[in-house]
Amino acid sequence: MGTILITGASTGIGKATAKYFAEKGWNVVATMRSPEKETELHNLQRVMVLELDVEKKETIREAVAQGIDRFGKIDVLLNNAGYCVGGVFEAATEAQINRQFGVNVFGLMNVTQAILPHFRANKAGTIINISSVGGRITFPLLSLYHSTKWAVEGLSESLYYELAALNIKVKLVEPGNIDTDFTGRSLDYAYDEALTDYKEYNDSFLLKVEENFKDPAKVSKPEVVAEVVFEAANDNKTRLRYTAGQDAEFLLHMRKEKSDEEFMGFIAQQF
């Protein structure tokens, strides 16, 4: 047993993971931008709900300090907070680009840097970063999202070596399609009606995304990811990557077995 700090715990993967770890007897520091809106996690034993906005360093420092003060130490950091900007790259605004990286990459870096002094002092700790199957492969009209997840993959793999001598583990969890609000609250979309050359492809893409998220065979519950995160936190292995969801396993296996031309041809056909 131990203590885990989770970012983005108000919904989806973060909330499911907070509940799962609490059920398993762990202490949980469940953080989110608006803790006053949370109605469920407050009622769970071993769960502390705190404000943390990954783009505001003062809230990160305060959440880490409060978590340590309450539970004595933090054993695992789960960098889960994130969202997606989809759509036509040419139509993306500077604000959309900056915020996509500000949350998914720079925010993750902010939280990681804030916890590292504590892990170094303890000579132990595990950092688990929620990446995506989209950190290893790509789909059209998700260029900004993919670029952030590929950045998280690179950062994590490099830190894996850098922190190993300090007995700090770094792990990646790569989910596929998950039944969350990914296409709702957590999706921002870049499109400009004046860019008519993209219209047909854009409309086709949106239809395909809607089909995929309505097909139970292609979508996993967030609890599936929570179980994988729990495995990564507890298996005492030096393994870096963990896949979550049958679709992710299928796509990553295909990516490994096929040439670039074959795999990218397959993806192109889907859209």
Side-chain angles (χ1 to χ4, degrees):
M1 305 304 174
T3 299
I4 183 171
L5 186 148
I6 302 171
T7 66
S10 61
T11 60
I13 293 170
K15 189 167 191 173
T17 303
K19 292 165 68 176
Y20 191 82
F21 271 73
E23 289 169 4
K24 294 293 185 179
W26 277 61
N27 302 317
V28 178
V29 184
T31 73
M32 58 200 70
R33 287 181 298 169
S34 302
E36 70 279 1
K37 297 179 181 179
E38 174 56 45
T39 59
E40 186 176 4
L41 295 178
H42 283 295
N43 300 318
L44 299 180
Q45 287 187 342
R46 304 187 186 89
V47 177
M48 182 184 196
V49 179
L50 295 174
E51 179 186 1
L52 189 156
D53 184 332
V54 298
E55 293 187 282
K56 296 179 180 178
K57 291 185 178 182
E58 66 276 10
T59 68
I60 299 170
R61 288 191 294 267
E62 184 62 23
V64 170
Q66 287 189 49
I68 294 170
D69 184 61
R70 167 77 179 274
F71 297 119
K73 70 170 183 172
I74 295 169
D75 302 283
V76 177
L77 165 65
L78 178 64
N79 279 312
N80 166 72
Y83 81 110
C84 175
V85 175
V88 175
F89 175 71
E90 188 177 346
T93 65
E94 183 177 2
Q96 286 175 316
I97 294 170
N98 288 341
R99 183 161 188 266
Q100 179 73 110
F101 276 84
V103 173
N104 290 13
V105 181
F106 304 138
L108 179 149
M109 290 177 172
N110 290 339
V111 181
T112 301
Q113 285 190 325
I115 202 74
L116 279 175
H118 181 64
F119 283 175
R120 283 193 296 104
N122 293 335
K123 295 183 172 56
T126 300
I127 299 164
I128 303 175
N129 293 330
I130 296 294
S131 177
S132 168
V133 64
R136 307 274 297 281
I137 67 171
T138 65
F139 299 113
L141 300 187
L142 290 174
S143 58
L144 294 181
Y145 175 76
H146 284 305
S147 61
T148 63
K149 291 303 183 181
W150 283 55
V152 168
E153 292 272 338
L155 171 70
S156 302
E157 188 168 314
S158 182
L159 286 179
Y160 172 92
Y161 303 115
E162 184 175 326
L163 298 177
L166 304 176
N167 197 35
I168 300 170
K169 296 182 175 69
V170 178
K171 304 196 173 194
L172 284 157
V173 173
E174 301 166 333
N177 282 342
I178 305 298
D179 185 14
T180 66
D181 64 352
F182 185 78
T183 57
R185 184 180 67 88
S186 292
L187 177 68
D188 186 6
Y189 205 74
Y191 189 67
D192 183 345
E193 292 288 348
L195 298 173
T196 55
D197 289 341
Y198 294 105
K199 186 179 188 315
E200 183 178 354
Y201 195 84
N202 181 76
D203 293 348
S204 174
F205 169 79
L206 290 175
L207 285 173
K208 189 66 177 180
V209 169
E210 186 177 2
E211 288 174 11
N212 284 340
F213 275 89
K214 286 183 177 179
D215 186 347
K218 296 179 180 179
V219 179
S220 301
K221 294 294 183 183
E223 289 75 17
V224 170
V225 186
E227 291 175 6
V228 174
V229 172
F230 190 80
E231 176 190 358
N234 287 279
D235 63 7
N236 292 318
K237 294 181 179 179
T238 56
R239 177 179 171 187
L240 173 63
R241 290 183 170 89
Y242 296 73
T243 306
Q246 291 185 351
D247 62 322
E249 292 176 3
F250 168 76
L251 288 168
L252 292 176
H253 176 75
M254 180 179 284
R255 168 79 279 187
K256 182 179 179 181
E257 295 296 318
K258 294 187 176 296
S259 67
D260 279 355
E261 186 177 15
E262 290 172 327
F263 181 78
M264 294 178 74
F266 167 78
I267 295 297
Q269 288 174 2
Q270 306 310 303
F271 297 95

